[in-house]
Amino acid sequence: MAETTWLVNVKLETGNRLLDNGAVETETALHTLKVVDGWIEEIHDAGSPVNLDGEQIDMKGKLAVPPLKEMHNHLDKTYMTLDWKAVTPVANLKERLQHEAAELKELAGSTEKRAKKMIETLLGYGVTHIRTHVNVDPYIGLKNLEGVKAALQAYEGIVTHEIVAFPQHGLLRDEVPALVREAMRSGATIVGGLDPAGIDQSIERSLHEVMDIATEFDADVDIHLHDGGMVGYYTSDKWIDIVEDAGYRGRTALSHSFCLGDVALGQQVKIAERLAAQDVAIMSTVPINLNRTLPPIELLDEHGVRVQFGCDGFYDSWSPYGTGDVLEKVTRFGELSRKIEENSLRQALRFATNGVTPLNAKGERVWPAVNDKADFVFFDAASTAEVVARKPADRCVMVKGKLVTPAI
């Protein structure tokens, strides 16, 4: 029998109002939503006569916002649930990787517990989808994958996920290609790669190995690309060639991609056009790093490249910082790119929602709609522009028409 829930006093964004001073203000109104078996079946103005047959949840005028998507994360690395520890100093990347390898081996037994705490944290901030990279390497084999899978299983039906088999210590070494293949047979859903030049020291061979594994398992790809300058640019360009040759349009991503901000404007435009043509997504964590440039997010977006944000790892052997709030990444991007007026703030939210916004660029309401899943994050806010600028702390998360954290 169908389960019906009525969400009453839900504030939805409905359009734009142009003020006398030329500024845009977001218009909102209260609505009543009929949810049947987790899907929106009807949307009514709050004043419309409706027979509220079934359970009722009063949202008390909270603003409905699309749920957030965490698109670059490392559930297996966090120190959460452990005693406090800062990062151990090292001289270079090689030492950092060696330190992490030893530490993760020691921590493998607590992977599930630590990952669960990280998932709870992300969920509390409004995240209902996680793409996590999980180390697959000669030191821990598939132990972290097993722990992360168990942690995610505990949130089945609430948090959806993708698991990237991530060769943190290089793909072209020892038995790693075989381990990645084993990971794909054991529950990983996406093939990962890492710095074909800086780590694997063989760009073409590394990229082709990634694609060979991906096509073998009919899986998508997400490659960490920290290599900068023209080396990273060449790697990106070569990857697009491989994607086109393999017929893999729309199925791959490059994470970080600082190199795209290192090159001249003309080269940025050229690579943006190629990325868009093959629908290669760029995953950015919008880090604060005075020694690296960000990829040109606005330029990429303007050329039709899918750009999505994530928190990366937080509180782990790489950094003691981070909260798990992907909305912070949107706010930081807004500050860096001088998003200060209503429309631009509002549209920036889509980098954390897989492109979904309540109002389109013209100010027309496009979300939520009948036949959408009843997944929301509710805020005490005037508009999504305020949500982006102010990051309200109190949030209610709803999945399939049911509040999962916290109750209002």
Side-chain angles (χ1 to χ4, degrees):
M1 184 175 179
E3 182 177 349
T4 299
T5 302
W6 290 91
L7 310 181
V8 299
N9 294 319
V10 177
K11 183 161 65 178
L12 301 181
E13 294 186 341
T14 56
N16 285 340
R17 180 191 300 115
L18 186 63
L19 304 181
D20 292 340
N21 62 5
V24 169
E25 184 176 83
T26 301
E27 295 181 308
T28 61
L30 294 179
H31 287 73
T32 299
L33 280 61
K34 182 179 182 180
V35 176
V36 179
D37 290 338
W39 296 84
I40 300 173
E41 190 171 277
E42 299 174 14
I43 300 177
H44 302 274
D45 295 338
S48 301
V50 178
N51 179 22
L52 301 178
D53 54 325
E55 180 188 4
Q56 297 178 39
I57 302 178
D58 187 353
M59 297 313 305
K60 301 178 182 178
K62 292 182 183 293
L63 178 70
V65 174
L68 306 179
K69 312 296 182 185
E70 163 59 81
M71 295 303 290
H72 188 97
N73 183 267
H74 294 267
L75 288 177
D76 59 329
K77 297 188 180 187
T78 186
Y79 289 161
M80 296 182 84
T81 74
L82 304 180
D83 292 337
W84 158 256
K85 60 159 70 176
V87 170
T88 301
V90 296
N92 50 47
L93 177 60
K94 182 179 180 181
E95 284 190 15
R96 174 62 63 207
L97 290 173
Q98 289 173 340
H99 172 75
E100 184 195 65
E103 186 173 70
L104 285 183
K105 192 172 181 179
E106 294 175 4
L107 297 178
S110 65
T111 301
E112 180 181 350
K113 179 181 178 182
R114 291 181 290 107
K116 279 183 177 178
K117 181 62 176 179
M118 203 175 199
I119 295 167
E120 290 172 8
T121 300
L122 293 167
L123 179 61
Y125 281 121
V127 167
T128 61
H129 180 82
I130 301 171
R131 174 178 289 194
T132 180
H133 299 256
V134 178
N135 273 33
V136 175
D137 60 51
Y139 306 100
I140 57 168
L142 303 186
K143 290 182 180 178
N144 279 12
L145 176 62
E146 293 164 4
V148 167
K149 282 172 53 184
L152 288 165
Q153 181 68 30
Y155 294 87
E156 186 175 1
I158 298 174
V159 176
T160 56
H161 65 269
E162 301 163 292
I163 301 176
V164 184
F166 178 45
Q168 172 73 83
H169 299 272
L171 180 61
L172 303 181
R173 57 169 297 184
D174 306 325
E175 68 272 27
V176 175
L179 276 173
V180 171
R181 286 179 166 87
E182 186 178 351
M184 298 305 296
R185 287 188 287 267
S186 301
T189 58
I190 296 176
V191 178
L194 173 67
D195 293 340
I199 299 295
D200 278 339
Q201 299 181 355
S202 180
I203 295 174
E204 285 82 357
R205 185 181 164 212
S206 177
L207 293 177
H208 280 295
E209 183 67 33
V210 169
M211 184 58 81
D212 285 348
I213 298 173
T215 53
E216 179 180 337
F217 289 92
D218 190 23
D220 290 358
V221 174
D222 192 334
I223 299 173
H224 278 61
L225 182 59
H226 307 97
D227 293 330
M230 287 306 299
V231 171
Y233 185 89
Y234 174 84
T235 302
S236 304
D237 201 47
K238 178 57 66 175
W239 177 246
I240 298 169
D241 289 341
I242 293 171
V243 169
E244 185 172 11
D245 290 345
Y248 245 54
R249 185 183 187 278
R251 301 193 61 180
T252 76
L254 296 174
S255 288
H256 302 305
S257 299
F258 305 112
C259 58
L260 302 184
D262 291 338
V263 297
L265 178 60
Q267 292 169 308
Q268 292 180 12
V269 170
K270 180 179 178 181
I271 200 74
E273 291 172 345
R274 296 206 68 209
L275 289 165
Q278 291 302 316
D279 193 13
V280 177
I282 298 297
M283 306 300 190
S284 179
T285 62
V286 199
I288 298 173
N289 191 331
L290 300 180
N291 298 317
R292 301 301 300 264
T293 57
L294 288 175
I297 292 169
E298 289 185 279
L299 182 146
L300 293 168
D301 182 51
E302 289 168 0
H303 283 80
V305 179
R306 284 185 297 125
V307 179
Q308 297 172 307
F309 289 171
C311 292
D312 210 343
F314 54 91
Y315 184 34
D316 56 22
S317 65
W318 295 79
S319 172
Y321 300 110
T323 65
D325 186 2
V326 71
L327 189 58
E328 285 185 350
K329 303 297 182 175
V330 182
T331 305
R332 182 181 299 166
F333 165 71
E335 289 187 90
L336 292 171
S337 57
R338 295 290 295 160
K339 307 295 183 194
I340 58 175
E341 50 84 29
E342 192 84 0
N343 276 333
S344 61
L345 284 167
R346 186 170 64 210
Q347 289 302 306
L349 180 69
R350 70 190 188 281
F351 297 121
T353 61
N354 198 22
V356 180
T357 54
L359 302 181
N360 62 20
K362 297 179 180 179
E364 302 163 331
R365 187 174 73 79
V366 292
W367 177 93
V370 171
N371 296 325
D372 283 349
K373 191 178 292 186
D375 291 356
F376 306 94
V377 186
F378 291 98
F379 292 84
D380 285 314
S383 67
T384 48
E386 182 183 359
V387 168
V388 169
R390 304 304 306 158
K391 306 189 303 293
D394 293 332
R395 308 173 192 185
C396 299
V397 182
M398 177 173 285
V399 176
K400 297 179 182 177
K402 298 182 182 295
L403 287 169
V404 295
T405 177
I408 59 171

